[in-house]
Amino acid sequence: MEARRIVLRLIRWGSVGVVGLVGTVFAIQALVGPVTYSGFDREEAAIVRSAVERFERANLDLPLTHVRRAQFGERCSPRGKATNSRPIRFLQICSVQEEVVVHELAHAWAFVHLTEENRHEFALRRGTPTWRSREHPWMDRASEHAADILTWYLYWSEQDGPVARIAGDVSVEAYLADLSWLMAAGEQPRATEILASRAAELAPMWVATASQ
């Protein structure tokens, strides 16, 4: 944990350049785990850790990722933003809520576990016109479908919510089938086993839609 504190001080003080920062964080993550974070107070940091632990319990392997809280006055997406940078994925959190952190971590998971072919096939499964193009509304992007379905599994299924935000089939049956497909495509066999063990618990639930 001392190593984590050192690198976070360097980030906070601006003592390292961008290249040095990436190299430093990369080295620290090799010691402390795939996900590091900075800019959060104690309560907010607990939210980030809880989100990460949800992926760990589900055996969904996260890539090297740094989660950063957006600072006051900084231009930011409404809730959060995931950047597919390498070798470390960067997440910017604008609204520090666990569902937001889980959703952005789900993007990081998809960045490394789904191939271009997988992404195209998932878009066809969900009946969406694109994986991630901003030329289409948020609710019609397959990347957001994948992130929201994973967020439902890891977080919302335990919170009785939310109203479905994505287009297409939002039934539990569809979500479970898509989760199974995502885990198989991402080559996460242990995660598939855990999903199967939870299927009986999740099956009676229904995802609310505006049309219901």
Side-chain angles (χ1 to χ4, degrees):
M1 294 305 292
E2 181 59 29
R4 183 194 292 270
R5 284 194 290 270
I6 291 171
V7 73
L8 295 187
R9 287 193 190 111
L10 290 172
I11 294 168
R12 198 173 296 120
W13 296 340
S15 301
V16 293
V18 174
V19 174
L21 171 59
V22 171
T24 303
V25 173
F26 186 86
I28 293 301
Q29 287 180 308
L31 296 173
V32 301
V35 180
T36 56
Y37 52 87
S38 63
F40 300 93
D41 63 28
R42 181 174 298 181
E43 291 183 1
E44 293 170 340
I47 290 173
V48 176
R49 288 195 299 271
S50 178
V52 172
E53 288 167 0
R54 290 178 184 276
F55 282 82
E56 292 173 347
R57 289 195 296 271
N59 259 74
L60 289 167
D61 299 329
L62 288 168
L64 294 178
T65 303
H66 186 71
V67 185
R68 185 177 68 84
R69 196 197 197 292
Q71 302 303 305
F72 179 75
E74 184 177 8
R75 183 180 179 183
C76 195
S77 297
R79 286 156 61 89
K81 179 181 179 181
T83 302
N84 191 16
S85 52
R86 299 182 183 183
I88 299 169
R89 276 67 188 179
F90 281 88
L91 309 184
Q92 183 185 51
I93 303 301
C94 312
S95 177
V96 187
Q97 303 172 53
E98 190 165 355
E99 64 184 73
V100 175
V101 181
V102 171
H103 179 94
E104 300 307 329
L105 286 171
H107 280 305
W109 181 89
F111 286 155
V112 299
H113 289 289
L114 299 182
T115 65
E116 287 297 327
E117 183 179 350
N118 293 152
R119 295 169 189 177
H120 177 69
E121 186 174 346
F122 188 72
L124 293 176
R125 281 181 62 88
R126 293 296 304 171
T128 63
T130 181
W131 170 253
R132 198 177 175 86
S133 173
R134 292 184 177 273
E135 294 181 0
H136 297 275
W138 183 94
M139 65 186 295
D140 289 329
R141 301 173 198 161
S143 62
E144 301 300 344
H145 285 223
D148 248 30
I149 290 169
L150 285 166
T151 303
W152 172 81
Y153 172 57
L154 297 172
Y155 180 78
W156 286 323
S157 65
E158 299 177 6
Q159 311 296 326
D160 297 325
V163 172
R165 307 185 302 173
I166 54 177
D169 192 344
V170 292
S171 67
V172 169
E173 289 84 354
Y175 275 24
L176 291 176
D178 286 334
L179 283 165
S180 181
W181 187 93
L182 286 167
M183 292 173 187
E187 299 182 351
Q188 305 272 266
R190 179 59 184 141
T192 300
E193 292 174 8
I194 293 173
L195 172 63
S197 72
R198 289 193 62 198
E201 164 200 343
L202 296 170
M205 299 177 61
W206 291 95
V207 179
T209 67
S211 63
Q212 288 180 322

